[in-house]
Amino acid sequence: MTDIALREQAAPAERLEIVRAGLVDYRVAWDQQRRIQQARIDDTGPDTLLLLEHPSVYTAGKRTEPLDRPTDGTPVIDVDRGGKITWHGPGQLVGYPIIKLPDPVDVIAFVHRVEDLVMSVCAEFGVPTTRITTRKDMRGGVWVLADDRGPTRKIAALGMRVSHGVTEHGFALNCNSDLTGYDRIVPCGIRDAGVTSLSYELGREVTVAEVLPMVESRVHMLFP
């Protein structure tokens, strides 16, 4: 596979092109992101949201520490996004919004808009989630707070990069992914919390195909 086969559909926001890309190798998707990002920087292409899944892979952001990585020789792709190490794999909906931010560029506000979109989707399924941004505890991503089912646990990871005002990378929402993929790493460098999925929280299979239209119907939330 050398490129993402673009299967486009009309977006609720005229400013945004949504691409359902299916299962795509991580490096192929990253190359495609960079091409779309450069076109957006040059104003020769539209704002774009890539929605896809990856084969099982570990990716390490710029803040990844040696102790966060697998110790069994499992390959890790080092990437230029923020954050630490995470896992991607089938059953996880990955969204890469490649969007030109308005001036003045406010990256934190955009990250919160992405988190709000994911939290809105979780709420539609009946799964309450939150962001954790207290002075004592600031953790990126979307979280399910501790309850009788387990400790505080991450349901969606976020990691972004902005170049010339255009975003890259994005979110990864666990739908019915195999959570044992996280066992070899310290997910996002956080040692005192777990990971979860929509399927685990609801006690039934929630597929990527079921979640896709809910994300697409909320893309307006990515814009101020």
Side-chain angles (χ1 to χ4, degrees):
M1 184 184 300
T2 59
D3 202 347
I4 293 176
L6 299 183
R7 296 193 290 274
E8 301 164 6
Q9 67 175 42
E14 292 181 2
R15 304 158 60 181
L16 185 71
E17 191 169 271
I18 299 176
V19 179
R20 288 192 186 188
L23 185 68
V24 184
D25 177 83
Y26 184 87
R27 293 184 188 275
V28 171
W30 191 13
D31 287 343
Q32 185 73 5
Q33 281 187 77
R34 286 181 286 195
R35 287 194 290 272
I36 295 171
Q37 184 187 48
Q38 189 59 54
R40 190 67 190 93
I41 291 170
D42 296 338
D43 285 325
T44 59
D47 290 331
T48 302
L49 174 62
L50 300 177
L51 295 172
L52 48 83
E53 296 174 73
H54 291 305
S56 184
V57 64
Y58 295 101
T59 67
K62 293 182 289 186
R63 296 194 303 109
T64 301
E65 303 289 341
L67 291 177
D68 300 333
R69 294 173 177 265
T71 58
D72 61 356
T74 300
V76 176
I77 299 175
D78 289 287
V79 297
D80 58 357
R81 61 165 169 78
K84 294 194 173 187
I85 194 167
T86 194
W87 171 85
H88 297 301
Q92 181 189 77
L93 176 58
V94 178
Y96 294 131
I98 304 165
I99 292 172
K100 180 169 283 190
L101 301 181
D103 287 326
V105 171
D106 188 337
V107 178
I108 293 175
F110 181 75
V111 169
H112 286 338
R113 290 198 294 272
V114 175
E115 290 171 339
D116 287 342
L117 185 156
V118 174
M119 288 190 289
S120 176
V121 169
C122 292
E124 181 76 11
F125 279 100
V127 177
T129 59
T130 188
R131 63 171 62 93
I132 300 177
T133 56
T134 66
R135 288 186 178 181
K136 292 183 178 180
D137 194 4
M138 184 171 292
R139 302 180 174 191
V142 174
W143 295 85
V144 176
L145 294 179
D147 55 19
D148 57 3
R149 295 172 56 83
T152 296
R153 48 208 182 267
K154 180 177 281 191
I155 197 167
L158 271 80
M160 307 293 298
R161 176 177 178 269
V162 178
S163 178
H164 300 283
V166 178
T167 63
E168 184 189 6
H169 302 292
F171 69 86
L173 172 60
N174 293 326
C175 300
N176 61 341
S177 41
D178 180 359
L179 298 178
T180 61
Y182 293 99
D183 291 348
R184 292 188 179 94
I185 62 171
V186 180
C188 303
I190 298 171
R191 299 175 183 275
D192 61 347
V195 291
T196 190
S197 67
L198 288 170
S199 294
Y200 176 80
E201 296 300 323
L202 294 170
R204 69 171 182 85
E205 283 292 298
V206 179
T207 65
V208 168
E210 188 176 351
V211 178
L212 271 169
M214 294 190 179
V215 171
E216 291 166 344
S217 70
R218 290 166 168 78
V219 295
H220 62 278
M221 297 177 67
L222 298 175
F223 298 90

